Amino acid sequence: MNNIFRFKSFMRTPMFWFSQPLHKLIRNIGVSAHIDSGKTTFSERVLYYGGRIHEIHEVKGADSAGATMDFMELEKEKGITIQSAATHLKWKGHQVNLIDTPGHVDFTIEVERALRVLDGGVLLICGVAGVQPQTLTVHKQMSRYKVPRIIFINKLDRMGANPWSAIQSIRKRLSLTVAAVQIPIGQDQTFNGLVDLIKMKAYFFEGLKGEDVKETEIPERYLEEAKEKRQELIETLGSIDPEIEDLYLNEQPISEEKLKSSIRKNCQEHKFYPVFMGSAYKNKGVQLALDGVVDYLPAPEEKQNFGFQISQDQKEEKKIEFKTDTKLPFVGYAFKLEENKFGQLTYVRVYQGKLKKGDYVYNMKTKKRVKVARMAKMHANQMEEINDVEAGDIFAVFGVDCSSGDTLVYGDMNYQVLCSSMFVPQPVMSLSIKPTKKEYSARFQKALSKFQREDPTFNVDMDKESEEIIISGMGELHLQIYAERMRREFEIDVQLGQPTVNYRETITQKQQFDYLHKKQSGGAGQYAKVIGYMEPLQLEEGQFSNQFENHVIGTSIPNEYITAVEKGFYESVDKGPLTGYPVVNVRFVLEGGETHVVDSSSNAFMTATKYAFAQTFRQAGPEILEPVMAVEIMVPAPSYQQAMVGIAKRRGSVTNTESRGDMFVLNADVPLSQMFGYATELRGFTSGQGEFSLEYKRHDPVPPNEIETIIAKFKKQKRGQ
């Protein structure tokens, strides 16, 4: 029956697609959501109904095989998605390239890099919990890359599921214009079908895996609700679409084609987001959501993608738009790397032109030209060799030396363009790490190098004082996963130190400096005077930077010494005077100075700058900043008081509370330093029923009573005690 259904769906597809250019029949989509919202379960059904796999497997615990897209052993064991996985399938004559992304905030770079190259997305919302913390993060990421999306309210078979409450939370917390294009038939345990508000037909999902979609007339008991919700859909579209508004006000009939056209247009213009419904686990609603992907999300040529053309002298960049034209030079963006037994596998999105096996590509970053010997389409961890690709496609290539974020262009240096970069969040947590045996050293360094190439949010540094290797990332789980991968992939036992929080230092006041560095001890002396001021640099919440500005008038300081002053400033902000953590959001303005005919040098001006910085920093209202996390805690209603008290003890500030059925939900902003060990505490007072999630929100000043503790710890480490 599964094949019959797909054949019938295929036959209902307009036959014009046979003559359409390839890129018009492509949909590049990602599935994103808060952790445990059912992304991988949804993706597994998409693959099954698209004929890509012939058996459905579940996430951790349901069967021994595990879901197709969670192919890492760690993913199967922990029941979470750790890295994004790509696949492809056919649906109603269209090529759908799909990327399943992690939901856990620690692996947020996987979502960033996927959304950077995708044309559309499916945002999953839990039908019980509604919008959750990581939903907000994914929404920001989708908005950052201007990704049109459809919304799928999942888990409608669960006790307490309420799609209308979920839609309200989308409107309230995401500020999106949304309306349902379906209503559920049944609720909770009785959920067994959907009413399509555009076609005004009912659909039931029959067969062993819901593969047979049965279309019927709307059951009488749901007809009134369907009319009411269709009216709401039309009114919502009418508020943003003059043509729909005109038809509505003149009480003229609005056809299925007119509604679909309006939804498609406004979805792609980010004015409207259609809401689909279902239960992926119970095999209901996924096929209709796939129809929505084809009907409403853009083909590659319908999404604008911009880059920069570099002038021949490398001094100017001009913004350009890439075109899905196979006659133009090839442009690809390397967005993800993997290393396996065959070497480096690079995932590439094609923005322009075409590429054939055996062609040469030029890496705009490394300035190297390399032959493309092997090309493949990926299905999770399985490869299918291909011979060519065209604009709009996603593929993988072997043997190309590049890093995540590099631009690859056709063959030579004559066509010099760069794709726009992806956003890389700053690490918020660090651990010391070392191999347990000296003979592991070579493999240990190889593992660190590999992980840094794969993941821009995984940083490795050497502490010069203690000579410890410090790894930094997005959270405890993030770093623990890499430690576990070292054990499994490289057979290295490692020892992790205690988690440390990535504090930052900054200033709160403008402060002048007038510093003379003068040293004479026989032979050549040192003489440098720097004059200017330091002040706070105002940036958006969660963003960090530092600025050097040269306001010197005349020739009181030669240009080569000004360069030395700039270098001295940027070296100074690497380690702050109070704690050794980086200094952020400081503007250093050089206004003048003095030189000596014999004793002035670049080294003298660098030294003068560093002393001036340290002295001025302490006079400019210094502050220590700590990462603050947005935390959502869900506990049984009787445990809510303990949850409130626990957050208060951890210096948290409550931002929202609400009841969801028999569960109590608490949102709070809590310093990261206070969240260590909270999982154990939560399990204890809720008898294992509580759960929480957290994501980085901003850096806030550390309370005065905590500052001395942090400074004392830094001084102790510096003394080597």
Side-chain angles (χ1 to χ4, degrees):
M1 291 298 292
N2 188 28
N3 291 330
I4 293 172
F5 164 75
R6 286 201 298 273
F7 178 73
K8 288 181 178 177
S9 299
F10 172 86
M11 291 303 291
R12 286 199 298 268
T13 305
M15 299 306 287
F16 75 88
W17 70 265
F18 282 108
S19 60
Q20 294 293 298
L22 174 64
H23 50 77
K24 286 181 179 288
L25 301 172
I26 292 176
R27 296 292 184 270
N28 293 314
I29 66 165
V31 183
S32 304
H34 181 87
I35 189 170
D36 198 32
S37 294
K39 295 177 302 301
T40 304
T41 303
F42 179 87
S43 298
E44 188 81 357
R45 271 65 183 175
V46 168
L47 293 175
Y48 180 72
Y49 299 133
R52 201 68 187 75
I53 59 176
H54 304 293
E55 190 175 347
I56 293 176
H57 294 291
E58 307 297 352
V59 182
K60 178 187 175 185
D63 61 24
S64 58
T68 305
M69 303 300 273
D70 284 350
F71 55 83
M72 289 177 64
E73 287 301 320
L74 273 170
E75 292 177 316
K76 293 177 182 178
E77 288 177 17
K78 293 182 177 293
I80 60 172
T81 302
I82 293 171
Q83 62 180 14
S84 56
T87 188
H88 59 100
L89 61 133
K90 294 284 187 182
W91 187 255
K92 296 191 175 178
H94 290 71
Q95 171 81 27
V96 179
N97 295 320
L98 181 144
I99 298 181
D100 177 33
T101 63
H104 202 290
V105 68
D106 284 28
F107 311 109
T108 191
I109 190 62
E110 294 289 326
V111 186
E112 287 284 346
R113 64 167 124 228
L115 293 176
R116 165 62 184 79
V117 299
L118 294 173
D119 302 319
V122 180
L123 177 62
L124 263 64
I125 304 287
C126 176
V128 179
V131 172
Q132 297 167 278
Q134 191 65 9
T135 315
L136 294 166
T137 301
V138 171
H139 165 63
K140 290 176 188 174
Q141 291 169 319
M142 285 182 159
S143 300
R144 179 182 294 130
Y145 300 111
K146 296 182 172 58
V147 177
R149 74 213 74 154
I150 66 171
I151 296 171
F152 184 82
I153 298 180
N154 195 24
K155 301 188 176 183
L156 291 187
D157 61 303
R158 294 282 187 91
M159 186 74 72
N162 186 334
W164 312 116
S165 176
I167 287 175
Q168 282 303 110
S169 72
I170 294 168
R171 290 170 176 159
K172 180 181 177 182
R173 302 189 67 184
L174 303 185
S175 299
L176 296 179
T177 302
V178 298
V181 293
Q182 300 168 337
I183 64 169
I185 296 174
Q187 190 173 350
D188 299 347
Q189 302 294 321
T190 62
F191 170 63
N192 70 337
L194 293 163
V195 172
D196 185 322
L197 300 178
I198 297 172
K199 294 183 178 180
M200 289 301 279
K201 295 287 184 180
Y203 292 89
F204 296 92
F205 305 89
E206 300 177 349
L208 189 62
K209 301 291 185 181
E211 63 270 27
D212 299 327
V213 182
K214 182 182 178 183
E215 179 183 299
T216 70
E217 296 302 316
I218 301 172
E220 187 67 30
R221 60 179 294 199
Y222 292 100
L223 193 54
E224 198 59 40
E225 182 186 6
K227 290 178 180 177
E228 179 186 322
K229 293 299 181 182
R230 190 176 198 270
Q231 186 86 343
E232 182 181 315
L233 170 65
I234 291 171
E235 289 174 358
T236 304
L237 284 171
S239 67
I240 54 175
D241 189 327
E243 189 175 357
I244 296 294
E245 181 186 35
D246 187 54
L247 290 170
Y248 175 65
L249 292 177
N250 288 293
E251 298 183 352
Q252 294 181 10
I254 302 174
S255 67
E256 174 187 331
E257 290 71 24
K258 187 67 70 178
L259 270 179
K260 292 179 77 169
S261 174
S262 176
I263 292 171
R264 179 177 178 81
K265 173 179 177 291
N266 288 290
C267 180
Q268 294 184 22
E269 292 177 358
H270 310 282
K271 296 177 182 178
F272 177 78
Y273 304 89
V275 178
F276 291 77
M277 300 180 185
S279 167
Y281 184 67
K282 294 290 185 174
N283 309 311
K284 292 177 173 61
V286 175
Q287 297 99 316
L288 301 187
L290 260 176
D291 288 345
V293 166
V294 170
D295 290 340
Y296 304 129
L297 296 183
E301 69 165 11
E302 295 172 305
K303 176 117 184 291
Q304 289 186 308
N305 291 292
F306 296 98
F308 302 93
Q309 187 158 13
I310 315 300
S311 62
Q312 290 297 324
D313 57 9
Q314 304 285 310
K315 292 182 179 179
E316 293 184 8
E317 293 182 355
K318 182 178 72 173
K319 189 174 182 179
I320 59 170
E321 183 180 352
F322 296 125
K323 301 290 186 182
T324 52
D325 187 340
T326 57
K327 296 178 182 177
L328 293 174
F330 168 83
V331 178
Y333 182 77
F335 66 95
K336 176 178 168 63
L337 307 180
E338 281 180 16
E339 297 229 10
N340 58 33
K341 59 185 178 182
F342 302 109
Q344 179 174 303
L345 184 67
T346 305
Y347 290 77
V348 180
R349 162 68 195 262
V350 186
Y351 283 108
Q352 185 174 278
K354 61 182 178 181
L355 187 71
K356 293 185 290 186
K357 187 166 70 172
D359 285 347
Y360 284 83
V361 292
Y362 177 73
N363 187 327
M364 287 295 296
K365 181 180 178 182
T366 65
K367 311 299 182 187
K368 291 181 179 178
R369 184 170 177 260
V370 63
K371 184 177 181 179
V372 178
R374 291 182 67 190
M375 301 165 63
K377 295 283 286 184
M378 298 303 296
H379 172 52
N381 60 339
Q382 299 171 24
M383 295 180 299
E384 300 164 8
E385 298 260 357
I386 57 173
N387 295 318
D388 55 69
V389 288
E390 294 187 0
D393 215 341
I394 292 173
F395 74 106
V397 59
F398 275 105
V400 174
D401 181 26
C402 66
S403 299
S404 183
D406 287 0
T407 300
L408 307 175
V409 300
Y410 183 76
D412 55 46
M413 295 179 61
N414 294 328
Y415 187 67
Q416 299 207 41
V417 297
L418 286 172
C419 296
S420 57
S421 60
M422 75 178 85
F423 173 76
V424 179
Q426 293 293 312
V428 297
M429 184 179 292
S430 300
L431 295 171
S432 64
I433 186 171
K434 63 180 180 181
T436 57
K437 296 180 181 179
K438 286 186 178 179
E439 56 261 37
Y440 292 153
S441 292
R443 276 181 282 163
F444 179 65
Q445 293 298 330
K446 185 178 179 181
L448 291 177
S449 176
K450 172 190 173 182
F451 296 152
Q452 284 185 94
R453 285 170 64 83
E454 287 182 0
D455 184 351
T457 63
F458 179 75
N459 293 350
V460 180
D461 292 300
M462 172 73 78
D463 189 302
K464 294 177 183 177
E465 303 286 340
S466 64
E467 295 189 348
E468 285 185 315
I469 293 176
I470 306 296
I471 56 173
S472 303
M474 302 309 297
E476 279 183 279
L477 180 62
H478 187 207
L479 300 178
Q480 288 168 358
I481 288 293
Y482 277 118
E484 185 61 31
R485 286 184 65 186
M486 285 184 190
R487 295 186 183 101
R488 297 183 184 216
E489 296 174 27
F490 292 88
E491 298 180 347
I492 304 168
D493 282 329
V494 294
Q495 183 179 328
L496 296 174
Q498 289 296 312
T500 59
V501 175
N502 287 347
Y503 294 99
R504 296 289 184 265
E505 297 182 27
T506 193
I507 58 176
T508 59
Q509 305 167 12
K510 181 177 179 180
Q511 182 66 39
Q512 301 286 334
F513 60 83
D514 186 337
Y515 188 86
L516 172 64
H517 173 62
K518 186 176 180 182
K519 186 178 181 182
Q520 194 72 45
S521 57
Q526 292 188 14
Y527 187 98
K529 187 174 187 178
V530 289
I531 302 170
Y533 63 90
M534 282 167 46
E535 64 179 357
L537 180 63
Q538 302 298 325
L539 294 173
E540 291 183 19
E541 183 178 88
Q543 292 190 353
F544 297 139
S545 186
N546 292 295
Q547 281 184 10
F548 171 84
E549 294 184 9
N550 173 24
H551 290 187
V552 176
I553 299 174
T555 57
S556 60
I557 303 180
N559 284 336
E560 64 266 28
Y561 296 160
I562 292 174
T563 302
V565 172
E566 182 177 4
K567 185 177 179 182
F569 165 66
Y570 282 114
E571 286 187 3
S572 296
V573 299
D574 283 344
K575 284 196 171 185
L578 302 180
T579 64
Y581 288 99
V583 174
V584 297
N585 297 357
V586 170
R587 179 184 284 115
F588 186 98
V589 180
L590 180 66
E591 295 182 305
E594 291 180 7
T595 61
H596 187 275
V597 175
V598 177
D599 294 340
S600 289
S601 64
S602 292
N603 187 52
F605 270 90
M606 278 185 64
T607 304
T609 301
K610 290 180 179 180
Y611 281 121
F613 177 86
Q615 184 184 84
T616 310
F617 186 89
R618 288 184 166 86
Q619 299 169 349
E623 278 186 337
I624 300 174
L625 305 176
E626 63 180 347
V628 175
M629 313 302 283
V631 182
E632 179 170 285
I633 304 159
M634 183 178 288
V635 298
S639 302
Y640 85 94
Q641 286 187 324
Q642 288 164 287
M644 299 279 282
V645 170
I647 288 301
K649 284 195 302 184
R650 294 173 182 269
R651 291 200 282 118
S653 58
V654 176
T655 58
N656 186 55
T657 61
E658 61 179 293
S659 294
R660 295 178 188 165
D662 57 354
M663 300 296 284
F664 177 81
V665 180
L666 167 69
N667 296 95
D669 293 345
V670 189
L672 175 61
S673 62
Q674 304 298 306
M675 288 303 295
F676 299 138
Y678 185 68
T680 303
E681 178 185 318
L682 182 65
R683 280 196 298 268
F685 74 77
T686 64
S687 301
Q689 298 179 64
E691 60 182 55
F692 79 100
S693 61
L694 72 167
E695 63 170 318
Y696 170 74
K697 189 172 185 180
R698 62 179 183 271
H699 269 68
D700 276 355
V702 172
N705 61 317
E706 299 279 338
I707 291 176
E708 288 306 316
T709 304
I710 298 169
I711 294 176
K713 183 179 178 182
F714 167 65
K715 289 179 177 178
K716 183 178 179 181
Q717 289 175 340
K718 200 170 182 181
R719 291 195 302 268
Q721 296 179 355

